[in-house]
Amino acid sequence: MHMRHLPRNTRRAAVTASAVLAICTVLAPATGLGTATASNSAAAEARPMERLGRGVVAVRGNDTDVLVSWRLLGADPEGIGFNVYRSTDGGEYTLLNDEPLTGGTNHTDDGADLTKDNSYLVRPVVDGEEQEGSEAFTLTADHATEPVVRIPLRDGGDVKFTWVGDLDGDGEFDYVLDRQTERQSLEAYRNDGTFLWSVDMGPNSENQDNIEGGSAAINVGNWDGVTVRDLDGDGRAEVAVRVANGVVFGDGEEFTAEDDVHQSMAILDGETGAARATAEVPTDFIDDGPMGARLGVGYLDGETPSLVAFMKNRQDDGPFNCMIAAWRFDGQELTREWKWLRDEGSAEADGHNTRIVDVDGDGKDEIAEIGFVLNGDGTLRYSLGDDGIVHGDRFHIADIDPKRPGLEGYGVQQDNPSGLREYYYDAADGTMLWKHEEDGTADVGRGMAADIDPNVPGMEVWSFSGIYDARNDELVEPDPELAPWPQLGLWWDGDLTAELLNDGKFEKWDPANPTESGDLPRLLNISDHGAVNAAQGKQPTLVGDILGDWREEAVYTNAEQNELIVFTTDQPSDTRLYTLAHNPAYRNAMTLKGYLQSNHVDYFLGDGMEEPPKPNITY
């Protein structure tokens, strides 16, 4: 691929990058980390993943410096280095570094003339030979000093969620978002803001009740009904959406059903919004009305992506019916693989978000709810009902304890009559490791798992009873008032302890000087850059590693809802990790919404971490 300039908007920087070969999973020598042991998945078939480009991005960190950041890819060769080049006002590209960069995949440019356009690209260096360069990212003249990329949108209603996927096959993530208008809609944009298509969700999206919405309603309460991923392996992402009578696709075709209650899953072409295939949602519970849905994508057989739907509806004002189903799209037909129905009165408790992750390390994904896990073939793997687990808002599955084999789970409880507040368990088989209980009914609405204390090995977990060392079930911070609000984690500042994202504030908990939750040291306020929280909540529309190095982006809109504001770090880092989007567990998590929760990789990412094993992936 040849070096070239990208079309530029004078107000905004454009983002694209090439699909060049990439990266090893090496941490910078400065981290002094050991080597982790690969999981059982090393013996499994390599998982097909997106052929991503370098995702080069440049932001002004202060009045004089530019931070340039790019991806290390999951299949990059060991020892790969990078050269960074700058072109000013369309001139020749100039090498900025003396030797190939083999540490963190970011570089501070302190010599740019910021009154002019500056374009940046990187060239990999393998065995001393420079490879073809990435696509360029242009930082426009006199650009604002801000850790932000701005993506123009059409005028429209409030946005609750944003999804990313490579819709056009150029190796970079594009954007799909909802519009929360009287009749809802979906819109798609290229990564430079070029509008692609809109889908009118029709009259059955007008009922936006968060428990029993209309048959085509999307993104209300804990229901989403949309996800984005390349499902047929053609190098371009599709958009999956649950549809009903009256939905108008991006090519103008209207979907019709026998009535307003029957629903279908539709696979849309990522570039046009046209329906490529549809399949009816099972009608086992149709007498109780349409089903709310949460959608995600996982590799249930380890080799091919499946669309997974968690669905519920209600029996009048009584119990909820629950169904989970999986479909496969082969490029022409959408075929249901299986469905699982929860027996009325059974102990399999659900929550407000779903996780699709390989819990046992065999390379095949399982489907996890807060109180049970299904195998990839739709059979029940285990239930936590016998341990007293009932409905709850949030749970996490991650390598919480790096000294213990496999993954662990942490969850919180809502209205648990036994007094159970929070619990910690083996994610592979459901073995309960500890519980925290109190007298009376327990009701805990939030819970977090992240490494926020470098003095304690592994991750910490917390709700509203203080911060616990998950490994040993010991309090790290016993005063609940000095624990951060358990909302979202965020990788931002470049060290190996997590930052926190809550109500438009990027924060950092200091274990040496803990302060009340509302007084946490603040790294950034989104309002300072014209951003607002997403519709229906105090959260972004998306958190994920979508640009630059392994740090995460947080995506918001402006108040006028005609611009995506993508916060991307302006902090240099010596830590070298392959892009989180090439980690199978993390990439699955990026397809899931519900109550928005932190994404987790399948290795321990935190202070004192070992070098993660190379992901078992192919492009």
Side-chain angles (χ1 to χ4, degrees):
M1 184 173 290
H2 299 291
M3 296 181 290
R4 63 179 176 85
H5 290 289
L6 298 179
R8 297 194 297 270
N9 182 301
T10 57
R11 292 180 56 243
R12 301 172 175 91
V15 185
T16 58
S18 69
V20 291
L21 290 177
I23 297 179
C24 65
T25 57
V26 178
L27 296 176
T31 61
L33 302 182
T35 302
T37 302
S39 71
N40 296 336
S41 62
E45 292 291 329
R47 177 174 300 198
M49 297 285 279
E50 289 144 317
R51 185 180 295 276
L52 294 174
R54 293 294 169 190
V56 176
V57 63
V59 295
R60 290 183 62 175
N62 53 44
D63 290 339
T64 59
D65 295 346
V66 175
L67 183 74
V68 186
S69 176
W70 61 94
R71 293 187 185 108
L72 185 69
L73 302 177
D76 273 347
E78 298 289 334
I80 191 172
F82 294 94
N83 288 331
V84 184
Y85 289 84
R86 180 209 324 128
S87 166
T88 301
D89 255 3
E92 292 294 319
Y93 276 90
T94 302
L95 180 64
L96 299 183
N97 48 293
D98 296 329
E99 297 290 337
L101 303 173
T102 56
T105 53
N106 55 88
H107 177 75
T108 300
D109 178 14
D110 58 5
D113 181 351
L114 296 175
T115 66
K116 300 177 180 179
D117 285 359
N118 288 281
S119 298
Y120 295 91
L121 59 81
V122 299
R123 286 177 171 268
V125 180
V126 179
D127 295 332
E129 296 293 326
E130 192 174 67
Q131 311 296 306
E132 292 187 10
S134 70
E135 295 287 358
F137 180 96
T138 298
L139 189 68
T140 52
D142 298 311
H143 199 281
T145 302
E146 59 180 8
V148 159
V149 173
R150 297 180 183 271
I151 309 295
L153 304 176
R154 303 195 310 173
D155 290 335
D158 291 347
V159 177
K160 180 178 181 181
F161 286 142
T162 301
W163 295 261
V164 291
D166 183 5
L167 302 179
D168 55 11
D170 70 350
E172 293 304 322
F173 286 128
D174 305 299
Y175 301 94
V176 175
L177 53 92
D178 64 328
R179 294 290 193 175
Q180 293 291 320
T181 44
E182 182 178 0
R183 280 193 183 187
Q184 298 169 317
S185 62
L186 280 177
E187 294 179 349
Y189 296 83
R190 286 198 169 94
N191 50 47
D192 63 357
T194 300
F195 172 74
L196 291 175
W197 50 262
S198 177
V199 168
D200 177 357
M201 296 307 295
N204 285 303
S205 70
E206 294 175 6
N207 172 9
Q208 294 161 25
D209 183 84
N210 68 347
I211 295 178
E212 296 182 282
S215 53
I218 56 172
N219 302 347
V220 292
N222 75 140
W223 308 117
D224 45 68
V226 182
T227 196
V228 178
R229 194 71 164 89
D230 180 4
L231 294 169
D232 63 354
D234 66 352
R236 299 185 304 118
E238 288 77 43
V239 178
V241 55
R242 186 215 52 193
V243 298
N245 207 24
V247 169
V248 180
F249 297 121
D251 61 352
E253 180 184 353
E254 183 172 343
F255 181 79
T256 58
E258 60 187 90
D259 55 37
D260 288 340
V261 181
H262 281 76
Q263 299 165 296
S264 290
M265 294 295 170
I267 305 300
L268 310 184
D269 185 280
E271 288 192 280
T272 69
R276 296 181 61 189
T278 61
E280 190 174 36
V281 170
T283 58
D284 299 74
F285 302 122
I286 199 167
D287 289 345
D288 293 310
M291 305 197 79
R294 295 197 297 262
L295 304 188
V297 174
Y299 285 70
L300 305 184
D301 65 355
E303 301 175 26
T304 309
S306 294
L307 171 66
V308 177
F310 172 89
M311 296 172 284
K312 285 174 68 176
N313 63 5
R314 194 173 193 178
Q315 303 171 19
D316 297 324
D317 291 329
F320 286 88
N321 304 308
C322 179
M323 175 193 300
I324 299 177
W327 288 263
R328 184 168 293 174
F329 177 59
D330 65 3
Q332 294 183 330
E333 295 183 349
L334 182 63
T335 304
R336 180 162 55 84
E337 299 174 86
W338 51 260
K339 68 179 177 183
W340 175 86
L341 307 179
R342 183 172 63 192
D343 294 333
E344 187 169 343
S346 70
E348 285 80 54
D350 61 273
H352 291 300
N353 60 305
T354 303
R355 296 189 181 272
I356 304 174
V357 58
D358 178 8
V359 298
D360 59 355
D362 67 351
K364 301 176 183 180
D365 290 326
E366 285 77 40
I367 299 125
E369 280 293 316
I370 199 165
F372 66 97
V373 170
L374 298 186
N375 292 308
D377 62 3
T379 58
L380 183 67
R381 183 179 186 88
Y382 63 80
S383 172
L384 299 176
D386 290 342
D387 291 292
I389 307 305
V390 300
H391 175 83
D393 278 4
R394 286 163 169 80
F395 76 110
H396 299 260
I397 291 179
D399 191 3
I400 296 173
D401 178 0
K403 300 300 182 183
R404 187 178 185 279
L407 306 180
E408 293 79 37
Y410 166 73
V412 298
Q413 292 286 272
Q414 178 178 326
D415 293 331
N416 192 315
S418 73
L420 177 62
R421 295 177 58 83
E422 54 191 346
Y423 55 98
Y424 179 64
Y425 60 101
D426 185 307
D429 61 13
T431 299
M432 195 61 56
L433 302 176
W434 54 251
K435 300 179 185 178
H436 296 159
E437 298 172 311
E438 63 180 19
D439 293 333
T441 298
D443 191 357
V444 181
R446 300 286 187 277
M448 257 296 292
D451 184 17
I452 59 173
D453 189 342
N455 304 307
V456 178
M459 290 187 185
E460 291 71 57
V461 297
W462 69 99
S463 57
F464 299 105
S465 302
I467 302 173
Y468 280 83
D469 169 6
R471 296 178 61 214
N472 299 311
D473 190 19
E474 295 177 351
L475 280 166
V476 173
E477 174 50 66
D479 187 346
E481 297 298 323
L482 299 182
W485 187 261
Q487 184 71 1
L488 289 169
L490 180 72
W491 298 109
W492 179 265
D493 68 3
D495 67 19
L496 287 171
T497 56
E499 287 67 63
L500 301 161
L501 178 53
N502 173 41
D503 194 12
K505 305 179 292 291
F506 294 17
E507 300 174 327
K508 187 80 169 182
W509 189 71
D510 182 359
N513 184 32
T515 57
E516 291 192 9
S517 181
D519 298 322
L520 281 180
R522 196 163 299 176
L523 306 178
L524 182 150
N525 287 315
I526 67 166
S527 59
D528 292 342
H529 302 281
V532 298
N533 280 318
Q536 305 177 33
K538 296 182 177 181
Q539 60 192 21
T541 67
L542 169 72
V543 172
D545 180 12
I546 60 177
L547 293 172
D549 66 14
W550 58 276
R551 267 84 62 82
E552 292 177 300
E553 280 65 49
V555 181
Y556 294 84
T557 66
N558 61 351
E560 294 76 22
Q561 306 290 319
N562 60 12
E563 185 178 66
L564 284 182
I565 302 179
V566 182
F567 286 86
T568 186
T569 187
D570 58 358
Q571 305 296 309
S573 175
D574 290 332
T575 297
R576 181 179 174 99
L577 290 169
Y578 69 86
T579 175
L580 306 187
H582 270 168
N583 180 266
Y586 189 95
R587 187 63 185 95
N588 286 356
M590 288 175 66
T591 69
L592 295 155
K593 299 293 187 183
Y595 282 1
L596 198 62
Q597 291 290 278
S598 298
N599 306 326
H600 294 291
V601 293
D602 57 15
Y603 58 86
F604 173 67
L605 204 173
D607 190 79
M609 68 181 289
E610 297 179 326
E611 178 187 327
K614 201 176 186 69
N616 186 28
I617 64 172
T618 185
Y619 300 147

